[in-house]
Amino acid sequence: MLVSSIADVHAEPTFIDLHNVLPEAAIHLKLEALNIAGSIKLKTARQIMRDLEAQGTLHAGCRVIESSSGNLGVALAFLCAERAYPFTCVSDPNISPATSRLIQALGGRMIIVREKDTQGGYLKSRLDLIRRMVAADPGLVWTNQYANRSNSRAHYLTTGPEILRSFPSLDWVFIGAGTTGTLAGCARFVREHSPRTRIVAVDSVGSVTFGGPSGTRYLPGMGTSMRPALADDCIMDRLIQVHEEEAVRMCRDIARRRGLLLGPSTGSVLAAVARLDREIAPTDCVVAISPDLGDRYIETLYNDEWIRARFPSLADLATLDTALTA
Ligand SMILES: Cc1ncc(COP(=O)(O)O)c(C=O)c1O
């Protein structure tokens, strides 16, 4: 394979069969980390930049700014470095240290917002800061993943078709929601081309995206403290809200039982699948989307001390891990 852009370095659509999450049915886990940026967000970044360039909004001499809890920041840092756009990523203390260093290694500038907003999260503070910066600087282009329809279009054009091409008789698809770009784009494609498929949206307890009360969350990727504009476009048959503790347990368990190091949002999505075990028939075709893998979360999700400090109810998990590694 000979490619001219790093955005084109990626694997063929890849699904791994997991047999031990549900008692009988296999889950086809779609691995979206198999590209140069290590996450599903490379698709989003590529589509957003392509569309902004086509509209003439982004061109030589511009600088790019985005609010990201990690993965879109990494993907934009790769693409901006390749295209010589200086890049600034506005994030918050929940970003994993490895992700932050990766963005900086690619020449990106990190701004960490530490002031919580009125909803108890950081998203509104991050977006307010970007709005002020963009208003004061006409050369700064905001990719705005929470409201930019190029985000959902990326998944309408790629992720959705990739799933149905591999599994035309799809019974269930489980999709995690952050900006809701993956959910909005993928679900629309699936509903148009396979109306019988049940679409399950997965969100975190404490996220306000679909109307729940806001609460403290530590795991990046899924959930919001402010409803994203793209959420208005989301189609779903079911919404499952997962406690972060369930996501941690699932990730730790799959790592030891399958040798598959998953990112936290994949743990949430699999926990949602497990919740529906009574409704999913043994012969059902189930696809769940894994947005990224766990290597960037070694110092957080897979670090006993980090977990113990944030999730007192997981003390047993931390003790078990310590015992196993002693
Ligand atoms: C690891 C991870 N999982 C899930 C998501 C959610 O995807 P979306 O923003 O398309 O809803 C993201 C988004 O940043 C992510 O980084």
Side-chain angles (χ1 to χ4, degrees):
M1 190 201 291
L2 183 63
V3 297
S4 55
S5 165
I6 50 165
D8 297 325
V9 180
H10 54 76
E12 287 300 300
T14 303
F15 299 79
I16 183 162
D17 276 344
L18 291 180
H19 291 280
N20 44 7
V21 173
L22 290 171
E24 289 174 277
I27 300 165
H28 311 298
L29 187 66
K30 185 172 196 314
L31 298 180
E32 291 283 354
L34 307 180
N35 61 53
I36 204 130
S39 84
I40 195 165
K41 286 291 175 176
L42 185 63
K43 290 172 164 175
T44 311
R46 187 180 48 194
Q47 191 68 46
I48 289 179
M49 289 184 71
R50 203 177 265 169
D51 291 351
L52 286 173
E53 285 175 336
Q55 291 154 16
T57 308
L58 181 61
H59 49 78
C62 290
R63 281 159 290 115
V64 174
I65 191 162
E66 182 57 287
S67 157
S68 169
S69 60
N71 282 332
L72 185 70
V74 172
L76 284 171
F78 270 101
L79 298 187
C80 285
E82 185 181 52
R83 295 169 200 213
Y85 298 121
F87 172 57
T88 300
C89 180
V90 179
S91 195
D92 61 54
N94 284 344
I95 189 170
S96 96
T99 303
S100 184
R101 283 196 294 273
L102 189 51
I103 292 170
Q104 288 170 303
L106 290 159
R109 175 177 160 233
M110 290 298 308
I111 298 178
I112 301 293
V113 168
R114 298 188 185 278
E115 191 188 320
K116 286 200 175 174
D117 50 48
T118 44
Q119 271 107 338
Y122 296 99
L123 185 54
K124 186 169 181 302
S125 303
R126 279 163 32 178
L127 301 186
D128 285 348
L129 174 66
I130 293 181
R131 277 193 196 96
R132 288 197 298 274
M133 290 175 72
V134 169
D137 181 350
L140 203 51
V141 176
W142 180 17
T143 42
N144 199 0
Q145 61 167 329
Y146 293 94
N148 190 332
R149 289 213 158 80
S150 299
N151 177 358
S152 47
R153 216 152 72 79
H155 302 288
Y156 182 83
L157 295 174
T158 62
T159 316
E162 287 164 9
I163 292 171
L164 281 186
R165 220 175 286 135
S166 300
F167 299 100
S169 306
L170 185 64
D171 293 296
W172 300 86
V173 61
F174 287 75
I175 309 169
T179 64
T180 70
T182 312
L183 174 63
C186 218
R188 185 157 70 87
F189 185 88
V190 168
R191 183 52 38 93
E192 282 173 10
H193 295 86
S194 177
R196 60 185 281 273
T197 301
R198 276 153 289 180
I199 297 163
V200 184
V202 184
D203 194 13
S204 299
V205 170
S207 162
V208 305
T209 302
F210 298 109
S214 88
T216 305
R217 293 173 297 108
Y218 299 105
L219 303 176
M222 269 186 36
T224 61
S225 55
M226 205 180 112
R227 180 178 165 85
L230 291 178
D232 293 343
D233 300 343
C234 288
I235 301 165
M236 68 190 81
D237 297 303
R238 298 282 287 271
L239 169 67
I240 299 204
Q241 285 199 293
V242 174
H243 289 277
E244 289 193 328
E245 285 86 346
E246 293 176 75
V248 174
R249 278 192 190 280
M250 182 60 78
C251 288
R252 294 288 191 104
D253 190 49
I254 298 276
R256 287 172 187 278
R257 288 203 291 151
R258 283 298 305 236
L260 188 58
L261 207 60
L262 300 171
S265 60
T266 308
S268 298
V269 169
L270 291 178
V273 177
R275 284 239 208 121
L276 295 193
D277 65 341
R278 297 217 174 120
E279 294 177 47
I280 298 175
T283 52
D284 279 356
C285 177
V286 184
V287 166
I289 298 178
S290 166
D292 69 357
L293 292 177
D295 36 352
R296 285 187 197 151
Y297 307 99
I298 286 297
E299 299 300 337
T300 54
L301 174 63
Y302 293 100
N303 175 338
D304 291 352
E305 269 178 47
W306 192 90
I307 291 291
R308 211 178 289 133
R310 287 158 186 81
F311 302 104
S313 68
L314 292 179
D316 64 314
L317 183 84
T319 312
L320 174 67
D321 282 354
T322 309
L324 285 170
T325 49

